[in-house]
């Protein structure tokens, strides 16, 4: 089908929303439409038109995201949808290909997204960079192990979420640097997270607790509780954790004790980083009832700019043959020279030490996916023995990456 591609204007937003409602098969309440409008940078959007009909969309949010070593600009790809009448006709491929070219021209060297289905984006060179543990913890078995940190000066204080937004923003900003994948939240994104209209309350009203000492707040948690009783009249309430940030181990532990100890709550469900300290705090880690899931997907848009933009945990000097069918400017050989103080990445003609699909570089970019593991799966190859282990060690980073909030 002949398609034309151009940004979607703000006046066309109702058509965009109608397309999203069809593509995702669910109505979007009016206040959510307004929040979505305020989160949208229309000049960064891209629509696919079949004649006058909008048949596909995507857009980019301008993020600052923590990567190994510090914050960098990252393009947050979101709002991807294709009209069901036009699916599987190449609309998404046209959008993704143009979007990556646009990013290379004037945008970020790295793109990130959350996928509705994990099979969609690998073909466009995105790599699975972060994992989350989806946990559902029975509160009855959630005692802490001996030696869990505690601080007698620290107290929980219940707050109305709308009244404590400045506390959440300050704590979150202070936590940003602690983990690759975390990204700075704009005011509109906070509005979205804190929205608590009737239709936001399918899991109960939004609630919050702050933990603080005489000096001020050291952490907060945001959650909803869906109350209930089972067939034996035993409490079966479920607490859905939305956000939990403690600035030190004692604050983190007290926040968890608060949510695990709420009366009438039988289960706490949450999405956690793969290495969340809670795993070690619980006396019985089997109580996590964890389900492993993909979280952030990363696309190295421009190898020459992206690889020097992060830090490396060990010295490395390798020539990488990058395979990239969607972004031909990346395909070819690159020499990456890095140590713990900085990195350089330039095109070169040297023989390749290793061969990587660009999706492997994306998967490894935030430090949480060792290239060695991809080699074991047959997704990365070396021609100089030891080169893969060298690059894998240099790109690995702790703690594990995690974005923490779907965009
Ligand atoms: C996912 C979606 C955007 C795909 O759009 P599309 O225009 O149908 O995609 P394309 O026709 O360009 O597909 C390109 C390739 O990806 C495959 N593909 C696309 N979506 C897929 C999916 N959900 N599952 C499996 N394969 C998929 C196609 O089969 C095709 O493969 P091929 O090249 O081997 O033939 C569209 O189906 C949609 O809007 N889904 C509902 C909303 C959604 O999930 N959006 C994504 C939010 S992150």
């Amino acid at each position: 089908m002949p398609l034309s591609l151009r940004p979607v204007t703000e006046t066309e937003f109702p058509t965009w929303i109608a397309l999203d409602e069809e593509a995702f098969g669910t109505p979007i309440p009016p206040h959510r439409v307004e929040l979505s409008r305020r989160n949208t940078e229309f000049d960064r959007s891209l629509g696919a038109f079949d004649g006058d009909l909008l048949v596909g969309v995507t857009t980019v949010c301008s993020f600052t995201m923590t990567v190994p070593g510090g914050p960098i600009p990252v393009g947050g790809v979101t709002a991807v949808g294709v009209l069901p009448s036009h699916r599987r006709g190449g609309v998404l491929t046209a959008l993704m290909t143009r979007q990556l070219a646009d990013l290379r021209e004037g945008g970020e060297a790295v793109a990130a997204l959350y996928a509705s289905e994990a099979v969609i984006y690998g073909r466009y060179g995105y790599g699975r960079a972060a994992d989350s543990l989806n946990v559902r913890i029975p509160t009855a078995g959630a005692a802490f192990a001996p030696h869990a940190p505690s601080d007698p000066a620290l107290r929980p204080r219940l707050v109305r979420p709308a009244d404590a937004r400045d506390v959440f923003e300050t704590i979150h900003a202070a936590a940003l640097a602690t983990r690759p994948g975390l990204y700075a939240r704009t005011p509109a994104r906070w509005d979205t997270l804190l929205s608590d209209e009737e239709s936001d309350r399918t899991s109960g009203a939004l609630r919050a607790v702050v933990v603080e000492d005489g000096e001020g707040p050291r952490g907060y948690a945001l959650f909803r509780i869906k109350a209930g009783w089972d067939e034996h009249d035993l409490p079966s309430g479920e607490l859905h954790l939305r956000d939990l940030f403690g600035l030190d181990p004692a604050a983190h532990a007290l926040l968890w004790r608060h949510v695990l100890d709420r009366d009438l709550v039988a289960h706490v469900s949450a999405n956690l980083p793969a290495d969340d300290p809670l795993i070690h705090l619980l006396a019985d880690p089997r109580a996590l009832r964890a389900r492993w899931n993909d979280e952030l997907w990363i696309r190295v848009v421009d190898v020459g700019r992206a690889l020097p933009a992060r830090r490396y945990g060990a010295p490395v000097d390798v020539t990488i043959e990058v395979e990239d069918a969607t972004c031909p400017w990346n395909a070819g050989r690159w020499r990456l020279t890095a140590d713990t103080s900085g990195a350089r990445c330039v095109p070169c003609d040297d023989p390749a030490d290793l061969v990587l699909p660009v999706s492997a570089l994306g998967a490894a970019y935030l430090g949480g996916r060792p290239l060695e593991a991809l080699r074991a799966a047959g997704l990365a190859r070396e021609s100089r023995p030891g080169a893969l282990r060298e690059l894998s060690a240099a790109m690995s980073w702790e703690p594990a990456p995690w974005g923490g909030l779907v965009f």
Side-chain angles (χ1 to χ4, degrees):
M1 99 197 62
L3 288 176
S4 57
L5 303 181
R6 64 161 171 85
V8 182
T9 65
E10 195 160 351
T11 49
E12 292 169 320
F13 197 50
T15 316
W16 177 341
I17 291 296
L19 186 157
D20 272 353
E21 290 186 327
E22 285 289 354
F24 288 90
T26 179
I28 306 174
H31 76 286
R32 286 265 152 194
V33 172
E34 174 54 17
L35 287 166
S36 170
R37 188 189 62 74
R38 287 175 39 217
N39 274 303
T40 303
E41 297 165 50
F42 285 90
D43 57 337
R44 304 204 71 184
S45 70
L46 191 60
F49 293 82
D50 177 4
D52 291 338
L53 184 65
L54 180 67
V55 297
V57 281
T58 176
T59 192
V60 176
C61 305
S62 312
F63 283 140
T64 300
M65 183 178 278
T66 302
V67 301
I72 65 163
V74 166
V77 171
T78 185
V80 175
V82 169
L83 210 56
S85 54
H86 288 64
R87 68 188 280 284
R88 306 301 180 267
V91 177
L92 179 64
T93 301
L95 287 169
M96 289 285 115
T97 307
R98 168 69 80 81
Q99 187 178 59
L100 287 165
D102 289 351
L103 280 168
R104 189 223 182 185
E105 281 302 308
E108 297 86 349
V110 176
L113 58 76
Y114 284 90
S116 62
E117 294 186 88
V119 289
I120 301 174
Y121 296 99
R123 75 191 72 241
Y124 306 117
Y126 284 83
R128 221 161 76 199
D131 301 324
S132 73
L133 292 181
N134 296 6
V135 299
R136 186 163 184 266
I137 309 168
T139 53
F144 280 171
H147 313 301
S150 76
D151 178 349
L154 206 52
R155 294 269 180 275
R157 178 166 60 92
L158 298 176
V159 293
R160 286 185 53 229
D163 296 342
R165 176 176 170 145
D166 55 332
V167 175
F168 310 151
E169 291 190 19
T170 306
I171 301 276
H172 184 263
L176 271 183
T178 61
R179 188 180 284 285
L182 290 175
Y183 62 93
R185 297 174 182 171
T186 58
R189 201 151 299 281
W190 277 106
D191 290 343
T192 307
L193 176 65
L194 297 176
S195 175
D196 199 26
E197 305 280 325
E198 202 47 47
S199 58
D200 298 316
R201 293 185 166 189
T202 48
S203 307
L206 190 66
R207 301 182 186 283
V209 62
V210 169
V211 293
E212 59 194 5
D213 60 17
E215 304 287 302
R218 283 164 46 188
Y220 73 90
L222 278 167
F223 51 91
R224 299 179 186 274
I225 298 175
K226 193 166 176 59
W229 277 263
D230 70 11
E231 67 274 24
H232 306 294
D233 287 334
L234 295 170
S236 64
E238 179 124 4
L239 186 149
H240 299 265
L241 192 64
R242 292 283 178 261
D243 228 8
L244 185 152
F245 286 97
L247 293 183
D248 55 83
H252 173 266
L254 185 59
L255 287 165
W256 269 106
R257 266 305 17 122
H258 181 85
V259 295
L260 291 167
D261 290 346
R262 296 282 297 221
D263 286 329
L264 308 181
V265 168
H267 290 92
V268 172
S269 56
N271 290 337
L272 306 179
D275 61 354
D276 196 281
L278 181 68
I279 299 163
H280 309 289
L281 268 179
L282 288 173
D284 179 2
R286 294 180 200 173
L288 283 168
R289 304 280 197 276
R291 190 164 49 85
W292 183 86
N293 220 334
D294 57 291
E295 218 243 0
L296 284 171
W297 290 68
I298 294 287
R299 203 329 164 167
V300 171
V301 178
D302 187 333
V303 169
R305 285 194 291 140
L307 291 192
R310 55 154 288 179
R311 288 292 181 92
Y312 294 80
V316 64
D317 184 354
V318 286
T319 297
I320 310 167
E321 171 105 36
V322 177
E323 297 174 331
D324 193 341
T326 310
C327 302
W329 55 86
N330 286 329
R333 271 168 270 161
W334 296 85
R335 180 156 179 199
L336 174 69
T337 319
D339 59 25
T340 50
S341 63
R344 199 165 165 268
C345 184
V346 289
C348 74
D349 294 324
D350 305 339
D353 296 321
L354 40 92
V355 183
L356 297 177
V358 74
S359 57
L361 278 181
Y365 192 79
L366 294 180
R369 185 83 56 216
L371 287 168
E372 278 289 343
L374 298 183
R375 188 232 304 254
L379 300 174
R381 312 190 299 279
E382 70 182 8
S383 36
R384 172 168 68 76
L388 243 164
R389 181 167 293 280
E390 204 181 294
L391 184 59
S392 185
M395 293 190 82
S396 294
W397 199 266
E398 289 182 71
W402 183 72
L405 181 65
V406 175
F407 52 79

